[in-house]
Each structure stands twice: as C-alpha cells, then as structure tokens.
Amino acid sequence: MHESATMPGVLAPVVTPFGADLEPDSGRLIAHCRWLARQGCGLAAFGTNSEANSLSVAERMTLLDELVAAGLDPGSMLPGTGTCALPDTVALTRHAVGHGVRGVLMLPPFYYKGVDDEGLYRGFSEVIERVGDDRLRIYLYHIPQLSGVPIGIDLIGRLCDAFPGIVAGMKDSSGEPANLARVLGAFPGFRLYAGTELLLTDNLRLGGVGCISATANINPGAIVEQYRHWQDDAGPGQQALDAVRRSVQRYPMIAALKHVIAHYRDDTEWRRLRPPLTSLAALDGAALIAELEAVQFRFRP
Amino acid sequence: MHESATMPGVLAPVVTPFGADLEPDSGRLIAHCRWLARQGCGLAAFGTNSEANSLSVAERMTLLDELVAAGLDPGSMLPGTGTCALPDTVALTRHAVGHGVRGVLMLPPFYYKGVDDEGLYRGFSEVIERVGDDRLRIYLYHIPQLSGVPIGIDLIGRLCDAFPGIVAGMKDSSGEPANLARVLGAFPGFRLYAGTELLLTDNLRLGGVGCISATANINPGAIVEQYRHWQDDAGPGQQALDAVRRSVQRYPMIAALKHVIAHYRDDTEWRRLRPPLTSLAALDGAALIAELEAVQFRFRP
C-alpha cells in the first residue's frame, strides 16, 4: 500500500465493457480507466456497477493484472474482492494486495440472509487471517438493497477493535444520510465513502472522505472538482452534480452508464452488458441523453 | 442422463461437512450420501442447504468427482450449478452433465435485483447454448427469499418453448401452495418439486413430482415412504413429517440439520459450518433434540 500518497476522494466503480462473445474487453477497460485517472478519479474496479458479480474469479484476476500491466496506479485502486465464498474472497484479496492496491472493497458473503454479526465477524476475520498481509486495507461494503446483508455499527466496531488499521473504512451505499452520521459519530476517523455523489458534500461535512459513485464513470471531472472545492465556490456545486445523477438514476444504472459512454464516444460496443443485465432500450437511451443535455451535462472525452 | 431409470421423488440438498480447517470433508459427505441413497433419497448436492454458495467452483467440482468416484449414482443426482457469474454456471453445469447426472438445479444469477425476464431468459439461454449437450436437464430454482430473483410463469413459458425437454422442471422453495398450483396449471407435465415436505402431498395431488427438502437430510426414510404411499395409509402420514419439519425450522436450518446429524451420529465434527454461517448454540441444540424426541422423531443411522 502507498500510505504516503493521497487516496483519491472520488472513485468510480469502473464499468466493464464486454465483446460480442460476452468476454471482458480489456482494451476498452484500460482506455476508460486511463480517462478516469487523468481526471483525478480513483478506480474501484469490480464493484457493483462493474458487473463484478457476473465475472469469474479468474476473469477478475486477469483484468486486474492487465490494468496494472497497462501502467494504471495500484495506489489509486480499491478493487472489489468480496464474494459469497470464503476461498474466492481470500484468493481475490490476496491477489489484489499482491499488486499493491490501496485497499479492497469487500462485500459480505451475500447469498445467505439473516446472518448474524457473529457469522459475519468470523467471515471477515477468516479472510484477514488467511490473507495474512500487513498491507491489507479493507473497506467494508454496505449495500443492503443488493446484498441483503447489512453491515451495522456493532460489526464495524468489533472488526475495528480486532483489526485496527486493516479495517480502514466503508462504502455506504444505503443512500441514507443518517447512516453516514451514525457511522462517523461512532467511529471518528473511519474512512467513510458515500455511495453516491448526492451525499458527497454531506459526507465530507460529517468527516467522511469522499464518494465512490457509479456516475463517476461518466461525470468524473465535475465530481472531482466538487470534492476539491466543497468548502468554497470554485467547484461546479453540489446541485450541478445532483442534476446529472438524478437524470441517470431514473434508469437501470449500469445500462444507463454504458449507454452514455457509448453515445459520447460514438462506440456502440460499449452498450453491451453481460446477462442477466440488459442494455438500455433505444427510446430510453435517447430520453436519457436528452435529459442530460437539458441539465448541461458535458462528457469530457 | 438416465431417461429410463426412475427419478427419485425425494431429494436431499445434501449438507456439506467441514473440517477444522473449514475445508469440505469429503469422507463424511460420501458416508452421508450413501446413507441417504440407501433410504431411496436422491442427492441434490450443492443446494442452499449444502452451503454451496460458500464453496468455490473448484471445491464443488472436486466434491462431485469424489461422490461419483465413490460409486454414488449420478442418475440420482441433481447438483446445484447456478451462480452469479455466467462462466461459473457454465463450467459447473458442463462438469455435472459430463458426469451423467440426472439434471442440474439452477439458481438464477442472484446478485443483481430487479432483473427483468428478458435478462434472465438470456442468461439461462446462454448457459444452455454454451453447455451444448443434449443430455442437459435443467430444474429452475425458485427461492426468492434468498435469491431475490423470482422465476415467474412468463419466464418458465419462454424457456420451455425455446428449450423443450432441456428445461425440465423446477424446485419451488417459495413455500406458497398457490404457486405450485399456478405453475402446474400453466405447465402440466412440468417436473415440479416442492421445496419442503410440508407440501409433498399437496404437490403430488396437483401433479408435481415430489420434494427437494432440507429435512430429508435427517428424515429421509419417512419422507420417502410417504412419497411412495401418499395415496394410501401405508406411509407415516403427512402429519408425522410435518411435526419433524416444524420442530427443525424453528431454528436456522443448516445449523439445525448439522446439529441433529452430529447428535445422533455422536460426531461433533458435523456441527461445523463455514462462515458466515454459525453452529447452533448448545442450548438451542438441546431444545431442538428434545422437541424432536417429543414428536417421536427417529434417526435411522
């Protein structure tokens, strides 16, 4: 890990392009990551919006190898490594740490529901002990609407007590401002990312460290500027970010992001998703672009 | 596939024992499967109650290899092969079909929620085409309370039309008797298994083919006898099955099943679960055994 460098305040859960054979398209992925990095945006590859859970362990490892080989900075990376299965989570985490990534974003095992904190604690502990590397920095991933497995205050407390430094922060994708306040109230200094730029300013005001947001895939420059200027007027303003985000989130998120990228790069290949997810219908895509232009969205290729 | 042989009417989603190192214990698994098979119970290995989603793809393949090598009949097997990721589902399904299993039980990809039927249809279609083997028989797995991705009538209809014979049936773990009637009303001859023996007689009366039930791991003989004698009085009776099931399902299911097996086999190794799941607390275990004995439950080692 690069303790000395500055961790990005804004990260994109990088969308994953697929070829006609539904295999990941590493060329387009690398180009997209370079574009994000040039605008100061960190790379939370293999997140929800990366369709990471539609990828095999081997595919995820190969893509991370390729990103690093392409010269992208592991110090700006927070790849997702949490899966349903302990050995898969261990393998992905060990591999990512071996690349010197800044940290990993870790979903809880998400098939079984109603799992108690003791079970989740044992699961995370087992991963940490098996990876056995002091460089490991875990960002817990709280996204109950998809995982069905919330990460609550008691669990965070137990993990931080047992593994200080290692359990470094969290991405809170619940969308609840009250939860940001609750977590930061209980754990000052915990590196908390909001899961949407709608809560970027709120989170920074509360002591959080930024956001990891789907829409950073299409609007990275503006979000990064707002992050840098949240205390003055030199950024685009929270409202400008919100207008873009609200236009996009009316549609299925990943399909919408890929549609926007395909449209502004004039590259229909980008529209493809791996099943079970599907591309945006043409009419919806046209409506989305019209809405974005109505709010002065500017894609900066 | 063994079209001529009789498909078991009762299958157990076989619980998976783990060693102290949390690795699957194939010796105990084989012994348990032999015990189930001797009582006429089919093997739905790698189901929900098998903690299959806590296993890696390689672990699942190795265990299936070992079950077959131990002489267990692939014609009685319906292994679970559905995962979040298309390549994993294809690999597991191809591997199972290569072993000549009777069929596979296929979860839909279960991370993303609110997925439309078109996406699920494309997902299942892609698996079928990639596996590309006429021996493939898919049993769809409807368990919305855990997968978050229901399998509805429209989707079943599209799949049966496109892949007649291949899409052979379904396990309905919704627990709703009305859904059994709805599915069998729409698709007479569809091989529908209830997900609990509580609905065994109801399902058979409606034209379904049996049940795939967690509690078949501990009560296989009685459930199989009731399946064989549901139209006469020679079986134990639906009520006798219900009493056992209702005692067990007051507790976290997998932990409860393993506790019962450990207790009656006098083998505490059986009590272990892989995180994030945890063993039954001692007091709960004792209460469960007392409840089972109160309803004349008889484990038949």
Side-chain angles (χ1 to χ4, degrees):
Chain A
M1 307 280 168
H2 304 232
E3 296 288 2
S4 55
T6 307
M7 172 75 162
V10 177
L11 297 97
V14 188
V15 285
T16 306
F18 292 101
D21 54 1
L22 299 177
E23 298 303 306
D25 176 343
S26 58
R28 280 183 173 78
L29 179 65
I30 290 166
H32 184 60
C33 286
R34 286 187 175 139
W35 176 78
L36 291 166
R38 277 202 305 277
Q39 296 176 75
C41 186
L43 305 175
F46 316 123
T48 295
N49 290 284
S50 313
E51 297 172 75
N53 296 299
S54 301
L55 300 175
S56 70
V57 167
E59 286 176 331
R60 289 160 77 148
M61 287 187 181
T62 300
L63 286 173
L64 183 59
D65 291 342
E66 291 175 325
L67 293 180
V68 173
L72 288 152
D73 177 16
S76 75
M77 292 184 192
L78 213 66
T81 63
T83 72
C84 290
L86 176 65
D88 290 343
T89 301
V90 170
L92 286 169
T93 303
R94 192 179 281 151
H95 176 259
V97 172
H99 272 305
V101 299
R102 169 71 54 164
V104 298
L105 188 57
M106 199 175 286
L107 277 169
F110 54 83
Y111 180 70
Y112 297 101
K113 306 299 188 283
V115 175
D116 61 18
D117 275 359
E118 176 62 23
L120 292 173
Y121 174 80
R122 288 190 198 176
F124 283 114
S125 302
E126 196 69 34
V127 172
I128 293 167
E129 282 160 16
R130 289 181 183 216
V131 171
D133 192 316
D134 289 343
R135 296 175 298 170
L136 174 62
R137 297 292 176 272
I138 292 178
Y139 290 75
L140 305 168
Y141 191 2
H142 176 58
I143 182 167
Q145 68 275 31
L146 286 186
S147 68
V149 181
I151 294 178
I153 295 288
D154 289 350
L155 177 62
I156 299 170
R158 280 188 69 181
L159 287 168
C160 286
D161 285 349
F163 305 101
I166 301 272
V167 177
M170 186 164 92
K171 176 181 180 188
D172 179 358
S173 290
S174 69
E176 297 173 28
N179 199 51
L180 298 172
R182 195 157 45 229
V183 171
L184 288 167
F187 311 105
F190 195 54
R191 297 184 58 80
L192 186 65
Y193 288 94
T196 165
E197 72 272 32
L198 294 173
L199 297 175
L200 174 59
T201 306
D202 286 347
N203 189 41
L204 292 168
R205 194 174 289 128
L206 288 163
V209 294
C211 68
I212 302 174
S213 173
T215 24
N217 275 288
I218 59 167
N219 200 25
I223 304 174
V224 168
E225 281 172 45
Q226 180 58 20
Y227 166 73
R228 289 176 180 155
H229 294 285
W230 72 277
Q231 287 171 303
D232 61 49
D233 290 336
Q238 181 68 50
Q239 287 187 333
L241 305 187
D242 293 355
V244 171
R245 173 78 186 197
R246 291 193 198 285
S247 299
V248 177
Q249 70 182 19
R250 260 175 268 226
Y251 301 89
M253 180 58 81
I254 308 175
L257 297 172
K258 287 188 162 181
H259 186 91
V260 171
I261 294 170
H263 176 83
Y264 287 105
R265 294 213 179 112
D266 196 17
D267 177 3
T268 55
E269 290 291 307
W270 258 108
R271 296 191 60 229
R272 197 175 289 115
L273 285 80
R274 187 177 265 189
L277 301 183
T278 52
S279 304
L280 217 55
L283 277 177
D284 285 340
L288 167 58
I289 298 298
E291 287 176 58
L292 284 173
E293 301 202 334
V295 298
Q296 279 79 48
F297 170 68
R298 202 160 59 85
F299 191 83
R300 313 178 190 189
Chain B
M1 307 280 168
H2 304 233
E3 296 288 2
S4 57
T6 306
M7 172 74 162
V10 177
L11 297 97
V14 188
V15 285
T16 306
F18 292 100
D21 55 2
L22 299 177
E23 299 302 306
D25 176 342
S26 57
R28 280 184 173 78
L29 179 65
I30 290 166
H32 184 60
C33 286
R34 285 186 174 140
W35 177 78
L36 291 167
R38 276 202 305 276
Q39 296 176 77
C41 185
L43 306 174
F46 317 124
T48 294
N49 290 285
S50 314
E51 298 172 75
N53 295 298
S54 301
L55 301 174
S56 69
V57 167
E59 287 176 331
R60 289 159 79 149
M61 287 187 181
T62 300
L63 287 173
L64 183 59
D65 292 342
E66 291 174 325
L67 293 180
V68 173
L72 289 152
D73 177 15
S76 76
M77 292 184 192
L78 213 66
T81 62
T83 71
C84 289
L86 176 66
D88 290 343
T89 302
V90 170
L92 287 168
T93 304
R94 192 179 282 150
H95 176 259
V97 172
H99 271 305
V101 298
R102 169 70 55 164
V104 297
L105 187 57
M106 199 176 286
L107 277 169
F110 55 81
Y111 181 70
Y112 297 101
K113 305 301 189 282
V115 174
D116 61 18
D117 275 359
E118 177 62 24
L120 292 173
Y121 175 79
R122 287 191 199 175
F124 283 113
S125 301
E126 196 69 33
V127 171
I128 294 167
E129 282 160 16
R130 289 183 183 215
V131 171
D133 192 316
D134 288 343
R135 295 175 298 169
L136 174 62
R137 296 292 175 272
I138 292 178
Y139 290 75
L140 305 169
Y141 191 2
H142 176 58
I143 182 166
Q145 67 275 32
L146 285 185
S147 67
V149 180
I151 294 178
I153 295 289
D154 290 350
L155 177 61
I156 299 170
R158 280 189 68 182
L159 287 168
C160 287
D161 285 349
F163 306 102
I166 302 273
V167 178
M170 187 164 92
K171 176 182 180 187
D172 179 358
S173 291
S174 70
E176 297 172 28
N179 199 50
L180 298 171
R182 196 157 43 230
V183 171
L184 289 167
F187 310 105
F190 196 54
R191 296 184 58 80
L192 186 65
Y193 288 94
T196 166
E197 72 272 31
L198 293 173
L199 298 175
L200 174 60
T201 306
D202 286 347
N203 189 41
L204 292 168
R205 193 174 290 128
L206 288 163
V209 295
C211 69
I212 303 174
S213 173
T215 23
N217 275 289
I218 59 168
N219 200 25
I223 303 174
V224 168
E225 281 171 46
Q226 179 58 21
Y227 166 74
R228 289 176 181 154
H229 294 286
W230 71 278
Q231 288 170 302
D232 60 50
D233 289 337
Q238 181 67 51
Q239 286 186 335
L241 305 188
D242 294 355
V244 171
R245 171 80 187 197
R246 291 193 198 285
S247 299
V248 178
Q249 69 182 21
R250 260 176 268 228
Y251 301 89
M253 179 58 80
I254 307 174
L257 297 173
K258 287 187 163 181
H259 185 92
V260 171
I261 294 169
H263 176 83
Y264 288 105
R265 294 214 179 109
D266 195 17
D267 177 3
T268 56
E269 291 291 308
W270 259 108
R271 295 193 61 230
R272 199 174 288 115
L273 285 81
R274 187 178 264 190
L277 301 183
T278 51
S279 304
L280 217 55
L283 277 177
D284 285 340
L288 167 58
I289 298 298
E291 287 176 57
L292 284 172
E293 302 201 334
V295 298
Q296 278 80 50
F297 170 69
R298 202 159 60 84
F299 191 83
R300 311 177 191 189

